Amino acid sequence: MIRFASMAAALVAILAPLAAEAALDPLSQPQTVAGVAATEAAWVAALKAHDGATLQRLLASDFVDTTWQGVRRDKAAALAAAAPTAAPTGGVGDQALSELAVGLYGNAAVVHGLNTVRGPDGAVRAHIRFTDVFVYRQGGWRAVSAQETLEQAPAK
């Protein structure tokens, strides 16, 4: 009995930090609208920080993106485009999401929104409408598809 108790205590000591880390992991979100929204926010934060490790986990192996320029890219190409060396110098200062609408469909979710892209000087460079599709896999939401469309200014 003492041996079992010491093994149990050892397991708790090993697993407790892992459980705490999982609770803080933005990619281990519940199957709720709030969980999807938190994952979307984690995606933007990872892009801003050029956090390849988070992006690697967030994008499903079968991820496909159609960029605002009409270019289709898979996960590997999306990761390469997000690398610090791929970022344009002096181009993007900040990105802010708004108008988020999350649809939850069991193990799938669709997010529609607007990404406002600002330059380093704070001026708005673009408004990009997006649709992201997530599937609940491996204890969290994983992006399987993304589509961006550049919002054009109204004709004068």
Side-chain angles (χ1 to χ4, degrees):
M1 187 70 162
I2 293 173
R3 185 163 200 249
F4 175 75
S6 63
M7 285 177 41
L11 278 175
V12 167
I14 292 168
L15 296 177
L18 296 175
E21 181 179 318
L24 300 174
D25 184 353
L27 303 181
S28 296
Q29 293 295 327
Q31 286 182 267
T32 63
V33 168
V36 177
T39 302
E40 185 75 52
W43 190 354
V44 172
L47 287 170
K48 287 179 184 181
H50 303 289
D51 180 354
T54 296
L55 292 170
Q56 175 71 30
R57 292 177 48 227
L58 188 141
L59 303 180
S61 60
D62 53 345
F63 175 77
V64 176
D65 177 32
T66 302
T67 72
W68 65 272
Q69 298 166 314
V71 175
R72 184 179 187 274
R73 60 187 182 183
D74 62 8
K75 179 178 180 174
L79 290 171
T85 55
T89 56
V92 176
D94 194 23
Q95 297 181 53
L97 301 186
S98 62
E99 300 181 27
L100 289 181
V102 178
L104 189 58
Y105 311 97
N107 286 340
V110 178
V111 179
H112 299 278
L114 178 66
N115 184 357
T116 300
V117 180
R118 295 185 181 277
D121 60 356
V124 173
R125 296 285 169 93
H127 290 287
I128 300 173
R129 297 266 170 206
F130 67 90
T131 301
D132 294 332
V133 180
F134 295 89
V135 175
Y136 200 79
R137 294 181 182 161
Q138 302 161 337
W141 293 103
R142 303 297 178 257
V144 294
S145 181
Q147 169 84 44
E148 297 89 28
T149 303
L150 182 61
E151 186 177 80
Q152 300 294 323
K156 294 182 181 181

